Amino acid sequence: MESIEIQPWLFRVEPLEGESLSHFLGRFRQANELTPNRLGKMAGLGGAIARWEKFRFNPPPSPQQLEALAVVVGVETERLQEMLPPPDVGMKLEPIRLCGACYAQSPCHRIEWQFKTATGCDRHKLRLLSECPNCGARFKIPALWVDGWCSRCFLSFKDIVKWQKTTLP
């Protein structure tokens, strides 16, 4: 009897507007019950997925790496590229930052919040938060955001807008 190789099927996850690659990869992995290493193995990328989820883009993903990931996650390579910082923009790896007003409109981590040049949300003119205003816990990497709330006290990210201060013009 001939052996047939069974291809795994995966749930598709649609990227959200402005979403960071870290958050998208976390949502995709959660929907498909994958670890970073398993997703990396499926795409032939090794440990790159774990690095990218932590905003470690040095070296940046190559076009070949993005193509390999695109095949597995079912998203166009160009769309994955949009989830990365522009080539001339530095990234702030820590702390993870968040705008509660943006999150209430679209529940995702936006890549622009991690730009070194970002101090506030351009849309809402609010300062970005890097820790829960209720309990002081630092926000985890977006790939680990499961339900959109603080991992320690369960305060919803949508509700933190009450604690955000306005930015100066």
Side-chain angles (χ1 to χ4, degrees):
M1 182 171 183
E2 188 176 320
S3 171
I4 299 173
E5 185 175 329
I6 298 173
Q7 295 295 319
W9 57 272
L10 298 169
F11 291 107
R12 291 187 60 109
V13 174
E14 291 298 319
L16 301 171
E17 187 63 36
E19 185 173 24
S20 68
L21 185 62
S22 174
H23 192 257
F24 172 76
L25 291 173
R27 289 190 315 115
F28 181 83
R29 288 191 309 93
Q30 290 164 14
N32 291 287
E33 298 186 11
L34 298 171
T35 64
N37 289 339
R38 180 68 182 135
L39 178 55
K41 185 176 180 180
M42 290 174 76
L45 298 171
I49 299 296
R51 283 189 311 105
W52 298 343
E53 286 184 357
K54 296 174 185 159
F55 299 104
R56 290 176 175 28
F57 301 123
N58 192 8
S62 70
Q64 295 82 9
Q65 288 175 312
L66 289 178
E67 286 174 27
L69 180 59
V71 168
V72 174
V73 299
V75 173
E76 295 290 325
T77 306
E78 295 77 25
R79 184 65 185 93
L80 292 174
Q81 184 68 46
E82 292 172 9
M83 295 183 215
L84 297 169
D88 57 341
V89 175
M91 291 293 292
K92 190 169 183 78
L93 304 180
E94 291 180 334
I96 300 302
R97 300 185 288 186
L98 170 66
C99 172
C102 284
Y103 196 89
Q105 293 172 338
S106 177
C108 73
H109 179 270
R110 300 183 65 83
I111 186 66
E112 65 202 38
W113 296 338
Q114 294 307 124
F115 293 169
K116 282 187 178 178
T117 56
T119 55
C121 172
D122 292 339
R123 286 175 186 77
H124 300 101
K125 306 298 183 216
L126 296 171
R127 289 191 180 269
L128 298 174
L129 295 178
S130 58
E131 61 185 34
C132 176
N134 188 50
C135 71
R138 285 231 162 162
F139 298 127
K140 293 185 177 216
I141 62 169
L144 300 177
W145 293 2
V146 177
D147 296 307
W149 57 43
C150 172
S151 60
R152 186 187 297 163
C153 72
F154 307 111
L155 175 68
S156 171
F157 290 159
K158 295 174 184 179
D159 293 334
I160 69 168
V161 69
K162 294 182 258 183
W163 283 277
Q164 285 181 270
K165 295 184 166 98
T166 58
T167 57
L168 298 176

